[in-house]
Amino acid sequence: MTAEGQRRRAFWQILLFAAGLLVLTVISAGSVYLVNKARDDAKWVLHTIEAENQINTLLLEIRRAESGARGFLLTQGPDFQSDHQKAVAAIIPALDKLTRQIGDNPAQRESLEKLRAAIETRLDQFSREMNFVKQGRPDDATALVREAAAGNTTTTITNLANAMIREEERLFQIRSANSDRSQTLAASMTGIGSGLVVLLALISIWLVRRSARARDEAETRLRDANVNLEAVVDERTADLREANDEIQRFAYIVSHDLRSPLVNIMGFTSELEELGGDIFRRISGLAHVPADGPPLPAGEIALEGPDKQLSTDFAEALGFIKSSIAKMDRLISAILNLTREGRREFQPEKIDTRELIEAIVSTLAHQAAEAQAEIHVAPLPNLISDRLALEQIFSNLIDNAIKYLKTGVPGEIRIRGRTKLGYAIFEISDNGRGIDPRDHQRIFDLFRRAGTQDKPGQGIGLAHVRALVRRLGGTMSVSSELNAGSTFTITLPITWNVSNRNADR
């Protein structure tokens, strides 16, 4: 196969890979969205059922109160009185719970207000009935019962509750249909995605087999070739070298192709800055030409009015461009460092952890002195792990602890360690400015920072630390509150090897 054919095949293979990656991304995102939607719909269905059950519970308590009151009126038995009192005591809490449950529905809130008014009226009647009976005035109690019956208070309560139940049943049907539809869409999305993945897999197999056949044919031709064998070998070698060069160029696209335009832009920006200076010097000179003599030196004449404002705007715009380019360059470098570290193979060795951390503390002694901070290192368990990874983990955490101390307050940083069930647990705590609990997860995200942005940084350090901790088979967490310091806890296996690596944790 010619070099052109190989390039064409490589192009289609890369295109197929990109298509597969795109399909998987879309399917994954769609599945996550639909699963979350189905979960939310199911939650609303359950909410409707709970609301309907709560209405029935409220009705049940009212009926118990009715039965207890009538039984006590007829027999004056203490059991009826006790049952009535328990039911009355449960009515208001049940009503309050129902209020919290249906607060999202304006129609139900309106019905609930009417229901609350009717229930309060009936509870008042209950109280008066029971007082008449206790006072030995059963006739008055009986008259009050007839008055309540004539006022249809109980019937009103029942009708309002039944109307609310019908509303919840209507919502139940709508929400059940939404839940079923979401689950159906999620299943369809998964099925379609699986089908597309299978299709792409079949196409990949076809391409691989086609490539294999082409390779076999090339080998056959190579074995059968008796004339110009050296030329054929050179041609094949050149094709392989070209393909290898293409692979290398693709591998270094981030380190080279992304940085090169930045370098060019920075260079042309510098030239533009010099050119702008020349232009404004000329403008200055032309604006101050004497009427009866040669122009004065432009460099000695200051710009005035609109020309001065234009010069200021021009310099400010160039400054924004330069700072943006510098920031992009730092981000690209940081990403490259992360990818290189991800490819590096760990080399486990026996490490005196306290000696390693004390060496790190000595390198940060100047920063600690400037921050008026004291660093206390307690006895620490030794590890068998990767030295460079541990240095990067603890260096970053100790440096952050020094960097984010409170101004004017003597800093105190403590590093402690212990062992538990084959793991070493390290704690790096400080009395610094602390972290808002809402930002505890945010600080571990790449390029995300929390709190006041008054310190230099790109939001990469803690993301890198957590990635290293995970590659070492450990976990990392933070406990902190604003103005109350922070404690970072790292759990690592005492003896690390490839088998206990946990890159997915």
Side-chain angles (χ1 to χ4, degrees):
M1 179 178 289
T2 64
E4 180 64 25
Q6 288 183 345
R7 282 195 295 269
R8 194 161 50 246
R9 180 193 302 169
F11 169 77
W12 284 109
Q13 288 177 343
I14 292 174
L15 184 62
L16 180 64
F17 173 77
L21 184 61
L22 179 62
V23 168
L24 288 177
T25 302
V26 172
I27 294 301
S28 299
S31 297
V32 169
Y33 169 76
L34 290 174
V35 167
N36 288 335
K37 189 174 185 304
R39 186 184 297 116
D40 291 339
D41 290 338
K43 181 182 70 175
W44 281 111
V45 171
L46 180 60
H47 173 80
T48 304
I49 295 173
E50 290 176 347
E52 187 173 346
N53 289 338
Q54 188 61 32
I55 295 172
N56 287 321
T57 300
L58 179 60
L59 280 177
L60 178 61
E61 295 299 338
I62 293 173
R63 289 167 183 156
R64 282 182 56 201
E66 290 274 2
S67 300
R70 292 179 181 179
F72 184 66
L73 178 61
L74 294 174
T75 65
Q76 297 187 10
D79 292 339
F80 287 109
Q81 182 182 11
S82 175
D83 191 44
H84 171 79
Q85 290 173 346
K86 290 179 181 178
V88 168
I91 288 174
I92 295 302
L95 187 60
D96 292 339
K97 183 176 180 180
L98 179 60
T99 302
R100 293 191 297 271
Q101 288 180 334
I102 65 173
D104 59 296
N105 190 328
Q108 291 288 64
R109 285 202 305 269
E110 183 179 352
S111 298
L112 184 63
E113 292 300 325
K114 297 178 181 178
L115 180 62
R116 181 182 291 275
I119 289 176
E120 290 175 352
T121 300
R122 191 67 186 105
L123 289 177
D124 179 65
Q125 292 171 349
F126 282 148
S127 176
R128 292 163 60 194
E129 291 172 9
M130 299 302 288
N131 288 334
F132 283 147
V133 174
K134 292 177 182 178
Q135 294 170 5
R137 299 165 59 187
D139 293 338
D140 292 338
T142 303
L144 186 58
V145 170
R146 292 195 184 95
E147 179 183 342
N152 290 328
T153 305
T154 303
T155 303
T156 300
I157 294 173
T158 303
N159 291 338
L160 288 171
N162 289 335
M164 295 175 69
I165 291 173
R166 287 194 296 272
E167 173 64 15
E168 292 298 328
E169 289 176 348
R170 183 185 69 83
L171 293 174
F172 176 78
Q173 293 177 356
I174 295 173
R175 291 168 178 174
S176 296
N178 291 338
S179 177
D180 294 341
R181 183 165 54 253
S182 298
Q183 293 177 6
T184 301
L185 288 175
S188 300
M189 176 71 76
T190 303
I192 293 172
S194 300
L196 290 175
V197 170
V198 171
L199 177 61
L200 291 173
L202 293 175
I203 296 175
S204 300
I205 293 172
W206 176 74
L207 289 175
V208 170
R209 294 186 62 181
R210 182 182 175 186
S211 300
R213 284 197 301 269
R215 183 193 60 200
D216 294 340
E217 292 173 359
E219 291 177 353
T220 301
R221 287 194 301 270
L222 183 62
R223 286 194 301 266
D224 296 340
N226 294 319
V227 182
N228 298 326
L229 180 60
E230 184 176 357
V232 173
V233 172
D234 290 341
E235 182 183 352
R236 294 292 182 267
T237 303
D239 291 341
L240 290 175
R241 186 178 294 110
E242 183 178 357
N244 186 57
D245 291 341
E246 289 180 359
I247 293 174
Q248 289 183 355
R249 285 194 294 272
F250 182 77
Y252 289 100
I253 188 173
V254 174
S255 60
H256 182 269
D257 292 351
L258 290 181
R259 182 169 279 112
S260 295
L262 288 179
V263 174
N264 292 334
I265 293 172
M266 182 61 79
F268 285 117
T269 302
S270 299
E271 293 185 11
L272 184 61
E273 186 174 22
E274 295 178 3
L275 180 61
D278 293 339
I279 291 173
F280 286 113
R281 280 193 293 272
R282 290 195 179 190
I283 292 175
S284 175
L286 293 175
H288 297 81
V289 175
D292 55 353
L296 296 175
E300 298 179 2
I301 302 175
L303 294 170
E304 298 178 356
D307 294 336
K308 182 177 181 180
Q309 182 62 41
L310 182 61
S311 175
T312 302
D313 293 343
F314 183 82
E316 184 179 4
L318 285 178
F320 286 144
I321 294 174
K322 284 185 174 182
S323 63
S324 298
I325 293 172
K327 182 176 181 181
M328 184 175 292
D329 184 66
R330 291 194 300 271
L331 292 178
I332 292 174
S333 299
I335 293 173
L336 286 174
N337 290 335
L338 287 177
T339 56
R340 292 192 191 103
E341 184 61 32
R343 293 192 299 267
R344 185 175 71 84
E345 292 295 332
F346 287 166
Q347 301 296 329
E349 59 179 285
K350 188 173 182 179
I351 298 173
D352 186 330
T353 310
R354 181 167 185 175
E355 179 182 342
L356 180 142
I357 291 182
E358 287 179 344
I360 294 172
V361 170
S362 66
T363 63
L364 298 173
H366 179 68
Q367 294 94 312
E370 287 186 344
Q372 300 180 349
E374 293 185 1
I375 303 177
H376 306 277
V377 182
L380 302 172
N382 295 333
L383 300 174
I384 297 178
S385 191
D386 184 80
R387 179 177 293 274
L388 179 58
L390 291 180
E391 288 178 350
Q392 292 175 336
I393 290 170
F394 288 110
S395 294
N396 192 289
L397 292 177
I398 297 172
D399 181 67
N400 279 355
I402 297 173
K403 184 187 299 184
Y404 295 107
L405 290 171
K406 289 185 285 190
T407 304
V409 177
E412 189 171 313
I413 301 170
R414 297 187 180 275
I415 304 168
R416 300 180 292 270
R418 64 184 189 276
T419 59
K420 183 178 180 180
L421 300 176
Y423 284 84
I425 302 173
F426 299 94
E427 293 180 351
I428 298 90
S429 60
D430 61 69
N431 63 337
R433 63 176 65 175
I435 304 167
D436 193 314
R438 294 175 298 182
D439 294 327
H440 283 184
Q441 293 303 317
R442 175 190 177 93
I443 60 175
F444 294 110
D445 294 338
L446 196 60
F447 305 129
R448 302 286 297 277
R449 303 180 69 190
T452 304
Q453 306 300 313
D454 59 346
K455 301 294 182 180
Q458 301 300 326
I460 292 176
L462 288 178
H464 183 42
V465 168
R466 184 172 65 170
L468 288 175
V469 170
R470 287 177 171 176
R471 286 194 66 198
L472 289 174
T475 60
M476 181 177 180
S477 62
V478 62
S479 174
S480 178
E481 293 183 3
L482 286 176
N483 301 316
S486 304
T487 299
F488 286 86
T489 303
I490 297 175
T491 302
L492 295 171
I494 295 177
T495 303
W496 181 87
N497 52 58
V498 177
S499 62
N500 65 15
R501 172 180 173 180
N502 187 1
D504 298 326
R505 182 173 301 179

